[in-house]
Amino acid sequence: WVDASSVIGGPYLPLTGGTLTGSLTGTSATFSGFVAVEDNFYLTDAGTIRGRFELNASDRDDLDIVAVSFSSNIKFFTESVEKARITSGGFLGLGISSPSSILHISKAGGVVVKLGTSINTSEIEAREVGGGQSLILSASNSTDDIIIDDVGNTTLGGSLTGTTATFTGNIIIQNVDTSSPYTSYGKL
């Protein structure tokens, strides 16, 4: 240790090119550049370990982030706003601080979930449509091929092809082109 009482009011350890062994205590510390911590980095509150970052004991290429306390959550923030949370029960919440299922995603407005192909041409979306919630399936990324709304109505945006189709409930047909020769064939 170096006595720096006249400069900063107490002892300090110069770390430039040096190594600290033992412990570093105090209310705050500022580091710039690269800080290497061997094996484990513990987060404590009044001497009690609350969390840790550690190299996995069985595979040292893995990093474990551990919330140690019973019923602790791991939270992720950007700009002081919580964006994601993993609960002690193993639920992952995105956009919600109290997830109620293995994966719980919530967003006010717009597209909530979007699953697409690598070239992003086929999609499954959960999004708001006309003030309600809908599930959208799209094969071309430019049209909504199938829409299931929040009351169970299904809209098919295209042709229904195949040899059979089974429907339960009422069938409403709109905008029928009566000039088509196919409107008079088959059963309805």
Side-chain angles (χ1 to χ4, degrees), residues 105-144:
I105 303 171
S106 181
K107 179 184 175 202
V111 176
V112 176
V113 176
K114 189 173 206 172
L115 305 172
T117 62
S118 61
I119 55 174
N120 209 24
T121 57
S122 298
E123 299 174 340
I124 300 173
E125 297 179 7
R127 71 173 184 226
E128 289 184 4
V129 174
Q133 303 298 317
S134 295
L135 179 63
I136 314 291
L137 287 83
S138 172
S140 65
N141 197 24
S142 62
T143 61
D144 295 338

Side-chain angles (χ1 to χ4, degrees), residues 13 71 89 96 99 102 138 151 166 175-176:
L13 174 64
S71 73
I96 186 164
I102 296 287
S138 172
V151 293
T166 303
N175 302 324
V176 175

Side-chain angles (χ1 to χ4, degrees), residues 6-151:
S6 63
V7 180
I8 61 170
Y12 74 97
L13 174 64
L15 292 178
T16 304
T19 302
L20 170 68
T21 58
S23 61
L24 176 64
T25 59
T27 57
S28 65
T30 302
F31 298 95
S32 63
F34 181 81
V35 177
V37 176
E38 184 70 26
D39 295 332
N40 300 306
F41 183 79
Y42 292 92
L43 304 170
T44 63
D45 177 23
T48 302
I49 297 173
R50 301 292 184 189
R52 65 182 186 264
F53 298 94
E54 62 186 20
L55 295 176
N56 185 284
S58 62
D59 184 350
R60 298 191 50 90
D61 288 332
D62 290 345
L63 173 66
D64 294 342
I65 301 172
V66 182
V68 177
S69 302
F70 179 71
S71 73
S72 293
N73 300 310
I74 298 175
K75 303 180 225 175
F76 300 88
F77 290 80
T78 60
E79 297 289 326
S80 301
V81 176
E82 183 176 333
K83 301 296 183 175
R85 173 184 296 230
I86 303 171
T87 68
S88 61
F91 293 169
L92 171 60
L94 301 174
I96 186 164
S97 61
S98 55
S100 59
S101 60
I102 296 287
L103 177 61
H104 190 157
I105 303 171
S106 181
K107 179 184 175 202
V111 176
V112 176
V113 176
K114 189 173 206 172
L115 305 172
T117 62
S118 61
I119 55 174
N120 209 24
T121 57
S122 298
E123 299 174 340
I124 300 173
E125 297 179 7
R127 71 173 184 226
E128 289 184 4
V129 174
Q133 303 298 317
S134 295
L135 179 63
I136 314 291
L137 287 83
S138 172
S140 65
N141 197 24
S142 62
T143 61
D144 295 338
D145 296 319
I146 300 174
I147 301 172
I148 304 171
D149 69 17
D150 53 3
V151 293

